[in-house]
Amino acid sequence: MAFFSKIGIIGGGISGLAAAKQLSGHSPVVFEATDSLGGVWKHCSFKSTKLQTPRCDYEFSDFPWTERDNSSFPSYEEILDYLYSYASHFDLLKFVKFNTKVVEIRFAGDRETADGCGKPGEYGSLLTGRPVWEVAVQTNQSDTVQWYAFEFLVVCTGKYGDEPKIPTFPRNKGPEVFQGQVLHSLDYSKLDEEASTELFKGKKAVVVGYKKSAIDLAVECAAANQGPEGEPCTMVVRTLHWTVPHYSIWGLPFYLFYSTRSSQFLHERPNQGLLRTLLCHLLSPMRRAASKIIESYLVWKLPLQKYGLKPDHPFEEDYASCQMAILPENFFSEADKGKILFKRASKWWFYEGGVQFDDNTKLEADVVVLATGYDGKKKLKAIFPEPFRSLMEFPSGMMPLYRGTIHPFIPNMAFVGYVESVSNLHTAEIRCKWLARLVDDKFKLPNVEKMLEQTTTEMEIMKRTTRFYKRNCISTFSINHSDEICEEMGWTSWRKKNWFAEVFSPYNSQDYEEK
């Protein structure tokens, strides 16, 4: 017989913690597959991994960092300490079942629940008084499955971790023919400091990728190969992205370009009306100029052209897809010493001695690390039943989530952590505040048609803004997104103390603290 409770939460990362805090009045059950909170911060971090934003941009609205004005980026250990402090302060650990992995989800509702309580086009009440979802869990890797039943389920497993994305190769050109060692960055993150150093020390290493994980890996590889006996690490780069050394552009704070109302006014956003659409078009030269100013600084500050690492696309496209990476301080200094090399290639494969490229060149290697990302949808599809599994993805490649949270066709369920912004913690927390009020019937969702219209509009804006739109990133209209959430909750959307701050100051989670 299944244990019955009102609300279940799957995942104990930042999204799961935010959901547990905001829904704590309902005593939720939180399933965490491992023995620790923190999600990717615990299980996908390297020894050099740091936050990419200042502390004040990555904190819960009611729990500021003790040293929030410290300009240094905190390490992953500091972030884990912060998350545990938050969980302890608000007594959230009592809700968490550690080492409890969700292996299956079943729909337990009836036709009426699936159809929106019998009202065509309506989403329906979230707490129905009867079980809608059944969740199977395995504890401590045992073969025994225990079932739980919930009125409402919050999925916080996230887009990263757990399921590595592995490139596909032609027959007899995959890892099986390579005589060295092949691993994914997820495997590398599980190594201790000694093992990670030994993996690279004195070995010809190849790191595939050019996003944040790949960059951190290359720096750690270089650190393990200092001295005359050290071997260089080669980064195989398929798609270039803009990288940033710090949050200052020609002496101006970076937030002035993208994180204020005035700067985001230049960008297209949902529900903006005809006049504002015309203004957006007229002001597009200013938007392009902002991107050009940043690009000119980065080309001046960093040896991008020297190493053939200057992207062809505008900086704005990387920012609009949440792919802007902050460089470790010594990245290019290690490149200057010859410890980090770069190889541009659109196609590559393995041969017995290393990797080969589409220009017929070969690169000898002892170890190859794939920093090729994660497959978040595969995680979801592994546990979801049909027909809901097929709803995980629209033709655009993105999951349609109203307010980044509610799938219009999946009843009594929310998804937190599947929309990205500059601060994913803030993005998760404000959606959990919105979700808690929705669960308590403080407001009603629009009908399914209107929710789909809203999500489709957001997807279309992302597609028009960046070629990398499938990441579901709202960074260029994040303030407007929060405005609409506030209005739905009955809050005032303008959160600053005066109009000058409202127009020219950056927004962060502290602006959404409940008074």
Side-chain angles (χ1 to χ4, degrees):
M1 184 175 176
F3 172 83
F4 178 59
S5 185
K6 279 188 176 182
I7 296 175
I9 298 171
I10 305 176
I14 60 168
S15 299
L17 278 178
K21 163 63 167 55
Q22 299 303 324
L23 295 165
S24 58
H26 297 283
S27 298
V29 178
V30 182
F31 299 115
E32 169 51 47
T34 71
D35 61 358
S36 172
L37 299 175
V40 293
W41 288 113
K42 175 65 177 177
H43 305 293
C44 300
S45 295
F46 315 144
K47 59 188 176 184
S48 62
T49 300
K50 292 185 177 182
L51 185 65
Q52 293 214 90
T53 56
R55 285 170 168 80
C56 60
D57 288 333
Y58 198 87
E59 63 183 358
F60 294 103
S61 60
D62 51 5
F63 196 74
W65 285 82
T66 52
E67 298 179 6
R68 71 186 307 266
D69 295 326
N70 185 335
S71 60
S72 66
F73 298 142
S75 67
Y76 79 92
E77 292 105 329
E78 290 176 279
I79 295 166
L80 288 172
D81 287 343
Y82 171 75
L83 295 177
Y84 264 98
S85 296
Y86 176 78
S88 299
H89 180 77
F90 292 107
D91 198 20
L92 303 179
L93 292 172
K94 66 184 180 186
F95 302 129
V96 184
K97 292 184 178 295
F98 290 105
N99 296 305
T100 306
K101 182 180 181 180
V102 173
V103 294
E104 185 182 352
I105 298 173
R106 286 196 312 218
F107 181 64
D110 50 26
R111 170 69 65 178
E112 190 175 277
T113 307
D115 290 344
C117 298
K119 301 170 185 174
E122 297 295 326
Y123 188 82
S125 176
L126 299 185
L127 295 182
T128 62
R130 58 186 183 273
V132 177
W133 295 100
E134 292 180 344
V135 176
V137 301
Q138 288 179 328
T139 302
N140 292 320
Q141 298 181 330
S142 98
D143 293 331
T144 306
V145 172
Q146 184 175 359
W147 286 91
Y148 290 76
F150 299 101
E151 298 178 50
F152 186 70
L153 200 57
V154 188
V155 180
C156 303
T157 53
K159 297 160 66 175
Y160 304 107
D162 298 324
E163 288 289 347
K165 188 180 289 183
I166 306 295
T168 56
F169 300 95
R171 188 178 178 187
N172 296 324
K173 292 185 177 181
E176 71 279 358
V177 303
F178 177 49
Q179 295 177 354
Q181 187 175 357
V182 181
L183 66 163
H184 190 271
S185 58
L186 178 63
D187 305 310
Y188 178 82
S189 67
K190 296 174 182 176
L191 302 177
D192 59 29
E193 187 168 346
E194 182 181 354
S196 61
T197 300
E198 283 302 312
L199 177 74
F200 289 133
K201 190 173 183 180
K203 296 175 184 171
K204 300 183 182 74
V206 171
V207 174
V208 179
Y210 191 62
K211 293 181 184 175
K212 181 59 177 169
S213 292
I215 289 169
D216 285 346
L217 274 168
V219 171
E220 292 196 9
C221 179
N225 281 284
Q226 296 300 307
E229 303 299 320
E231 293 281 355
C233 168
T234 303
M235 298 187 75
V236 175
V237 184
R238 189 179 72 168
T239 304
L240 288 172
H241 293 285
W242 290 96
T243 52
V244 178
H246 45 65
Y247 282 102
S248 177
I249 303 294
W250 296 117
L252 297 172
F254 184 85
Y255 69 74
L256 285 177
F257 292 89
Y258 289 107
S259 300
T260 65
R261 282 194 185 277
S262 54
S263 57
Q264 291 197 6
F265 185 81
L266 303 176
H267 296 267
E268 187 180 1
R269 68 189 190 193
N271 310 316
Q272 63 183 8
L274 182 61
L275 178 60
R276 202 176 177 290
T277 300
L278 180 60
L279 274 172
C280 255
H281 180 71
L282 292 174
L283 295 174
S284 58
M286 292 179 64
R287 188 173 67 243
R288 288 193 290 269
S291 186
K292 288 291 185 185
I293 289 169
I294 296 171
E295 292 162 32
S296 68
Y297 176 77
L298 297 178
V299 171
W300 172 78
K301 181 71 175 177
L302 304 173
L304 301 179
Q305 292 175 317
K306 173 183 176 181
Y307 292 111
L309 298 176
K310 180 180 177 292
D312 294 327
H313 59 267
F315 174 85
E316 179 187 337
E317 290 200 39
D318 277 338
Y319 187 83
S321 56
C322 297
Q323 296 197 100
M324 181 188 78
I326 299 293
L327 283 176
E329 290 180 7
N330 58 335
F331 179 72
F332 278 116
S333 63
E334 293 296 342
D336 290 340
K337 291 191 296 185
K339 295 298 182 183
I340 299 177
L341 307 175
F342 306 97
K343 172 65 180 179
R344 293 291 310 280
S346 57
K347 292 181 180 179
W348 66 277
W349 53 90
F350 288 96
Y351 76 101
E352 61 272 11
V355 293
Q356 187 171 346
F357 305 99
D358 50 1
D359 61 0
N360 292 320
T361 60
K362 290 184 176 181
L363 183 62
E364 291 185 4
D366 301 308
V367 58
V368 176
V369 186
L370 306 173
T372 47
Y374 298 93
D375 192 339
K377 289 195 177 75
K378 187 177 179 181
K379 277 197 291 186
L380 291 176
K381 290 178 178 179
I383 59 174
F384 265 76
E386 288 291 0
F388 305 105
R389 184 185 302 143
S390 60
L391 298 173
M392 294 291 107
E393 197 169 295
F394 260 31
S396 65
M398 294 180 277
M399 187 158 53
L401 295 176
Y402 180 72
R403 301 295 182 229
T405 309
I406 298 292
H407 195 303
F409 295 134
I410 303 180
N412 295 67
M413 183 177 288
F415 298 82
V416 183
Y418 294 87
V419 169
E420 295 186 59
S421 73
V422 177
S423 173
N424 289 334
L425 188 152
H426 164 62
T427 304
E429 186 191 30
I430 193 168
R431 276 150 191 78
C432 289
K433 291 184 177 187
W434 175 87
L435 182 61
R437 283 153 182 78
L438 180 62
V439 165
D440 290 337
D441 281 330
K442 297 289 179 64
F443 63 92
K444 295 290 184 184
L445 289 170
N447 63 38
V448 169
E449 184 180 355
K450 287 187 177 179
M451 285 196 284
L452 279 176
E453 183 182 339
Q454 174 75 15
T455 57
T456 303
T457 300
E458 290 173 6
M459 290 178 187
E460 290 301 319
I461 289 172
M462 294 173 200
K463 289 171 75 172
R464 286 193 290 271
T465 305
T466 173
R467 69 196 70 186
F468 310 113
Y469 63 87
K470 290 186 179 182
R471 290 175 65 94
N472 220 336
C473 175
I474 59 169
S475 62
T476 57
F477 57 93
S478 58
I479 297 174
N480 176 73
H481 217 264
S482 296
D483 285 351
E484 293 182 343
I485 285 175
C486 285
E487 288 163 7
E488 239 168 15
M489 291 193 294
W491 291 11
T492 176
S493 56
W494 284 44
R495 313 292 297 174
K496 302 287 188 181
K497 293 179 179 178
N498 57 68
W499 71 267
F500 186 84
E502 192 65 59
V503 174
F504 296 110
S505 293
Y507 260 87
N508 58 42
S509 59
Q510 293 293 305
D511 294 306
Y512 298 93
E513 183 182 5
E514 297 172 56
K515 307 301 180 184

